[in-house]
Amino acid sequence: MQLNKIKQQISLIIDGSNTKEEKLQAICNYLESEISYYDWVGFYFKNGDKNELKLAEFTGEPTDHIIIPFGKGICGQVAVSNENFVVQDVSEQDNYISCGWKVKSEIVIPIFVNDENIGQIDIDSHTANVFTEKDEELLEFTCKEVSKIF
Ligand code: SME
């Protein structure tokens, strides 16, 4: 992974003149096309005052899981824990919401604005045991950049 090049591209998207929604969609599209094992890339955000997440922009197969209650699945757990969640093998998770039989691993990184967890980036992969510290570094960077447009 060419970490610096990818980070630069993320910053270019954030610093551009598009709308927030266009920037989030561009990040999804870019990451999915740039990194071969990123098969689904999406953003979930806290749904108003409710203790639930709502799907925003994404790239990949459509999912039924538009709304995810806090605490449910990998995403809902990150909404509560405020910590990265790297799942190398989804079949080993009890509290997991499947978005298709092809998905083998998943990484979810929270987005903070003024220390508040406002949402997250969620990546699914069709390959197990594929995520490394480089993915966490890249996605933490991406989430920090995204926080600037909120
Ligand atoms: N697998 C997630 C649900 C969202 S989909 O991956 C798009 C979870 O367990 O929270």
Side-chain angles (χ1 to χ4, degrees), residues 19-135:
T19 64
K20 179 169 80 179
E21 290 74 20
E22 288 167 340
K23 289 175 183 183
L24 294 175
Q25 187 65 59
I27 288 172
C28 293
N29 297 349
Y30 174 65
L31 288 175
E32 193 270 340
S33 67
E34 182 66 28
I35 301 177
S36 60
Y37 54 90
Y38 285 12
D39 294 301
W40 190 94
V41 179
F43 289 98
Y44 282 94
F45 293 102
K46 183 172 164 53
N47 191 15
D49 290 340
K50 298 180 187 161
N51 282 334
E52 64 185 29
L53 296 162
K54 188 175 181 194
L55 180 63
E57 288 70 22
F58 70 95
T59 304
E61 287 183 24
T63 172
D64 291 339
H65 305 292
I66 311 294
I67 299 287
I68 298 179
F70 280 16
K72 301 284 182 198
I74 308 304
C75 297
Q77 291 178 76
V78 170
V80 175
S81 72
N82 304 321
E83 287 176 6
N84 298 352
F85 201 152
V86 184
V87 180
Q88 301 291 8
D89 180 352
V90 295
S91 71
E92 291 176 355
Q93 294 293 318
D94 292 331
N95 188 358
Y96 169 71
I97 301 166
S98 174
C99 282
W101 61 271
K102 285 186 195 159
V103 178
K104 298 289 193 302
S105 59
E106 175 163 5
I107 183 169
V108 179
I109 308 290
I111 301 167
F112 298 99
V113 174
N114 299 327
D115 293 331
E116 187 193 343
N117 182 348
I118 64 150
Q120 51 194 239
I121 191 167
D122 176 20
I123 319 273
D124 286 342
S125 178
H126 297 165
T127 310
N129 300 302
V130 78
F131 297 116
T132 70
E133 285 178 358
K134 287 216 163 128
D135 296 284

